[in-house]
Amino acid sequence: AQTVTQSQPEMSVQEAETVTLSCTYDTSESNYYLFWYKQPPSRQMILVIRQEAYKQQNATENRFSVNFQKAAKSFSLKISDSQLGDTAMYFCAFMKGTGTASKLTFGTGTRLQVTL
Amino acid sequence: DAGVIQSPRHEVTEMGQEVTLRCKPISGHNSLFWYRQTMMRGLELLIYFNNNVPIDDSGMPEDRFSAKMPNASFSTLKIQPSEPRDSAVYFCASRPAGSPLHFGNGTRLTVT
């Protein structure tokens, strides 16, 4: 079974600064996807970024980027130029394969607070 | 695209009552998932369907929980009888093959 570990329950960053959220996972699969989801106080789950395991290039989406280290099974999220609207819970998630029957396994989340 | 639609948004009920949560997935998405979120346990997968067929229900806590997907555009999660420990936010999510999950806004269930 796959496991996803987020070792930072809470983090804080000042507006305009950069912050990195950690995620490690354990799997014996070679083909899989990794995701970061954001959950603001509205409780909506919003996809932030995705990474295919077969791609060596790190994914980026505007101010969000990942550092994917496949051998180390590490998948950290970097938020640049942090904004107050980035305040939320952030969940790392793993999905094996590409089949329609694949499920997402989530980490326990990191609560990020962006301050003035 | 209206997204995944869940109802009700909030549900308050008394212990022992039956609760039914509803979900309409995004049209064309053939996989549907039910998750439960609590402070103690985080996001737990309860059950998921592919092409309306249950694939894995090992996350369903006990026989009081049941889920159905009678057609591609509708699913229900039922708790009978409900207990205070069932209080949580219940999310429905859907996706097409090989794509990320799209979540609904969740149903906050409170059982008193």
Side-chain angles (χ1 to χ4, degrees):
Chain A
Q2 285 68 232
T3 59
V4 179
T5 302
Q6 293 180 250
S7 59
Q8 304 153 314
E10 295 185 356
M11 293 194 72
S12 181
V13 63
Q14 286 193 324
E15 196 177 24
E17 297 297 308
T18 295
V19 63
T20 298
L21 309 183
S22 302
C23 173
T24 59
Y25 58 94
D26 187 21
T27 185
S28 58
E29 302 287 333
S30 58
N31 182 23
Y32 53 87
Y33 292 80
L34 296 162
F35 306 89
W36 278 97
Y37 279 85
K38 168 185 177 181
Q39 187 179 39
S42 66
R43 86 170 180 239
Q44 187 180 5
M45 292 287 286
I46 302 166
L47 178 66
V48 175
I49 199 164
R50 65 183 284 184
Q51 174 79 44
E52 293 86 347
Y54 64 85
K55 289 187 177 179
Q56 291 188 342
Q57 186 174 9
N58 289 323
T60 62
E61 285 288 341
N62 301 314
R63 298 181 296 107
F64 299 87
S65 61
V66 298
N67 183 5
F68 174 47
Q69 301 291 324
K70 191 171 184 179
K73 297 180 181 175
S74 172
F75 183 61
S76 60
L77 174 69
K78 185 172 81 171
I79 306 175
S80 304
D81 186 25
S82 298
Q83 301 176 0
L84 295 178
D86 296 333
T87 293
M89 282 286 288
Y90 286 82
F91 293 95
C92 179
F94 172 99
M95 181 177 79
K96 71 176 183 180
T98 57
T100 55
S102 295
K103 61 184 181 181
L104 257 68
T105 301
F106 287 88
T108 52
T110 296
R111 183 175 302 278
L112 177 67
Q113 180 72 47
V114 181
T115 60
L116 291 170
Chain B
D1 183 354
V4 176
I5 299 173
Q6 290 187 247
S7 64
R9 179 117 171 110
H10 303 277
E11 176 79 30
V12 180
T13 191
E14 291 185 345
M15 183 175 63
Q17 297 298 306
E18 178 180 294
V19 175
T20 299
L21 310 182
R22 297 173 174 79
C23 176
K24 177 179 169 55
I26 294 173
S27 178
H29 288 194
N30 56 1
S31 293
L32 183 141
F33 301 74
W34 283 100
Y35 282 87
R36 177 172 69 177
Q37 184 178 32
T38 60
M39 289 293 293
M40 292 298 295
R41 303 170 72 95
L43 277 158
E44 302 174 278
L45 177 64
L46 300 177
I47 185 172
Y48 67 103
F49 297 83
N50 185 45
N51 293 326
N52 312 340
V53 176
I55 301 300
D56 183 353
D57 65 354
S58 59
M60 296 286 263
E62 48 200 271
D63 292 345
R64 297 185 298 106
F65 285 68
S66 62
K68 294 182 180 180
M69 192 166 186
N71 57 62
S73 59
F74 185 65
S75 177
T76 59
L77 177 67
K78 184 177 293 186
I79 308 172
Q80 166 64 19
S82 57
E83 296 181 4
R85 61 192 168 118
D86 301 332
S87 297
V89 178
Y90 291 81
F91 284 101
C92 177
S94 70
R95 67 178 181 91
S99 296
L101 285 180
H102 298 256
F103 283 81
N105 288 332
T107 294
R108 179 176 295 279
L109 173 65
T110 302
V111 184
T112 60

